[in-house]
Amino acid sequence: MLWWAWLLIALAVYCLITAILCLRFPETHIDWNQVNLEELTFPTDFSWGVATASHQIEGHNQNNWSKFESERGIEVSGAACNHWNRWETDFDLVESLGVGHYRFSIEWSRIQPQEGEWNEDALQQYSKMIDNLLARGIEPMVTLHHFSHPIWFEEKGGFLNQSNIHFWADYCERVFTALSDRVTNWCTVNEPEVFSIMGYHMKLFPPGKGSIRKTIRVMKNVVMAHVTVYHSLKALRPEARIGLAKNITIFDPLHRWNLLHWLTTFILNYIWNGAIISAFTKGRMFGRRIPKAKGSLDYIGLNYYTHALVSPFIPQTIEVDLPKRPHEIMTEFGYPMYAEGLQRSVELLKPLKVPIEITENGVADSEDSLRPEHLKRHLWVISEMLKQGFDIRSYYHWSLMDNFEWAEGYSLRFGLYHVDYETQVRTLRKSGEIYRKIIN
Ligand code: IFM
């Protein structure tokens, strides 16, 4: 055959494969001008909440993060929102939003500042906080690990060493024993993939390593840590509801006609989303068996923020804006607003066959000019999914108030309440009022 005939055949095959991929994996886009965002309907038993995390709001924690902040010369969390001393008035803020649920995390480094040293006063304070929430009719969801842990644990290698998991399990059992008579909903770990990838590949979180091998090892160990703790806590109190919060980022090829972009999409989707889902559906992740992982979730927490348009040259830093489609709105974090991806995320989690709690969703928006639209679009997508029969139980907005946004420091503001870090005055934003109205 002539060379050009071969070329034509190759081209035809390429086009066919691309066409099949485009049809099989559509990138949904909604014409938001055609959607009435003022009419949102939710079942009366749908749960509304807000979320925070210890290191981001408490202030003056001494943990792997505070150490990383000073060693790396990034913005230090310092007093943060001084929530450790202001929690009671902060709970007034939660209550005045009208939410019935509050997700927050326990700071392991406060409970066990040194190996073998337990701080009962700190545990007592968390216990008081729970009583206070319950007295207000607000149900707590407690996260046991939200990116931060004691320095002594980090020095032992943290979750890089499978043999360290028992340290974390001890702490979890201690907290659970003290609080589970009043707390039903437990979230073991927050975003295992973000924790591993940012800390062991992208060097943006502690310990700031850059190794794919270590990233995969940590991700597996964190999932194994969840599995260990799930079974030990369930043995203590079978009626507890235990899950973890999974960040789903939707990956789409930057150019849908480019097979290399599709290949990058599949690889990244497996590393970020697929591997962890497969641990719980198949009992395997990255080719290794994860014993007892199947059946170790009573619910799955979904943290959803965006989709990433990828190519083999995707930036490895958060300092630059990711690409966006022309009609999409860029958020201050440098990724686009893409509410359509919330449904795609829920669909990715469907094989887990457990109820979904939306444990985080929100936007960095210092002027509050985008948040009202962002909130309504995402709530509209949820309301449509509920009509279609998806088992989504709750929505926790990230976040109650502005806080320390990890590698990005205080520059990004995610709060329904604005925080003046000089005076510690909190002020409800317009979007906070909108959220309150929707709930009511
Ligand atoms: O602030 C973080 C949170 O700690 C984990 N999920 C994403 C949020 C916004 O980036």
Side-chain angles (χ1 to χ4, degrees), residues 37-86:
L37 292 175
E38 302 312 314
E39 276 181 22
L40 299 169
T41 48
F42 281 85
T44 46
D45 61 353
F46 189 77
S47 301
W48 299 99
V50 283
T52 62
S54 57
H55 188 68
Q56 295 180 269
I57 60 168
E58 285 181 354
H60 301 302
N61 287 325
Q62 297 293 316
N63 56 23
N64 59 329
W65 258 94
S66 57
K67 189 163 175 269
F68 184 73
E69 291 155 22
S70 47
E71 282 175 4
R72 289 295 160 111
I74 58 171
E75 188 164 15
V76 293
S77 51
C81 304
N82 193 16
H83 174 74
W84 190 246
N85 299 309
R86 304 177 63 108

Side-chain angles (χ1 to χ4, degrees), residues 27-41:
E27 184 183 314
T28 322
H29 284 278
I30 292 170
D31 179 357
W32 291 102
N33 294 321
Q34 303 302 317
V35 176
N36 180 1
L37 292 175
E38 302 312 314
E39 276 181 22
L40 299 169
T41 48

